[in-house]
Amino acid sequence: MTAILRIGLILISIMSFFVIIRKIRKSKIRIEDGLFWVVFAIILIIFAIFPRIIYFISDLVGAKSPANIVYLIIIGMLLVKLFFMSIQMSLLENKVVNLAQEMALKEKEDRDKIEDESK
């Protein structure tokens, strides 16, 4: 892994770490979501500080370049995050549909009640 890649990983990870911590403090991001990004940044810092881990994984998998493994790990982690966000979004969409249906039923009941009282 080149020195430029290592320095870039360290700088980007440290910057993202502090941005996420600040967003959590200002309550602009949930702790559960922020925790993923903090762990993600820490893993990238570990890979940059201890490049032997990447070389070991690269040799284990048979990759030609350790940088490819770094990118593969990043893409893999982001895909996992995307999958869990999709699940969360589906659950929220179901809740929105259920709430809209409940509100429509309540409004209909209220209108029926008013019509019955006016008769």
Side-chain angles (χ1 to χ4, degrees), residues 66-83:
N68 293 343
I69 294 298
V70 171
Y71 296 131
L72 180 67
I73 290 170
I74 290 171
I75 291 169
M77 290 182 73
L78 291 176
L79 284 173
V80 168
K81 179 65 175 170
L82 179 64
F83 175 71

Side-chain angles (χ1 to χ4, degrees), residues 25-75:
R25 282 187 183 163
K26 291 183 177 184
S27 298
K28 296 197 177 201
I29 189 171
R30 292 182 334 158
I31 293 175
E32 296 84 18
D33 294 331
L35 185 62
F36 171 84
W37 294 110
V38 168
V39 170
F40 188 71
I42 290 171
I43 288 172
L44 292 180
I45 291 171
I46 290 171
F47 285 161
I49 293 173
F50 304 108
R52 285 280 139 214
I53 297 171
I54 295 298
Y55 285 108
F56 174 75
I57 295 171
S58 178
D59 291 339
L60 191 68
V61 175
K64 295 190 184 244
S65 170
N68 293 343
I69 294 298
V70 171
Y71 296 131
L72 180 67
I73 290 170
I74 290 171
I75 291 169

Side-chain angles (χ1 to χ4, degrees), residues 7-38:
I7 292 169
L9 278 175
I10 291 171
L11 291 176
I12 291 170
S13 298
I14 289 172
M15 286 187 320
S16 63
F17 180 82
F18 286 115
V19 167
I20 293 300
I21 295 298
R22 190 168 40 144
K23 295 287 183 187
I24 290 172
R25 282 187 183 163
K26 291 183 177 184
S27 298
K28 296 197 177 201
I29 189 171
R30 292 182 334 158
I31 293 175
E32 296 84 18
D33 294 331
L35 185 62
F36 171 84
W37 294 110
V38 168

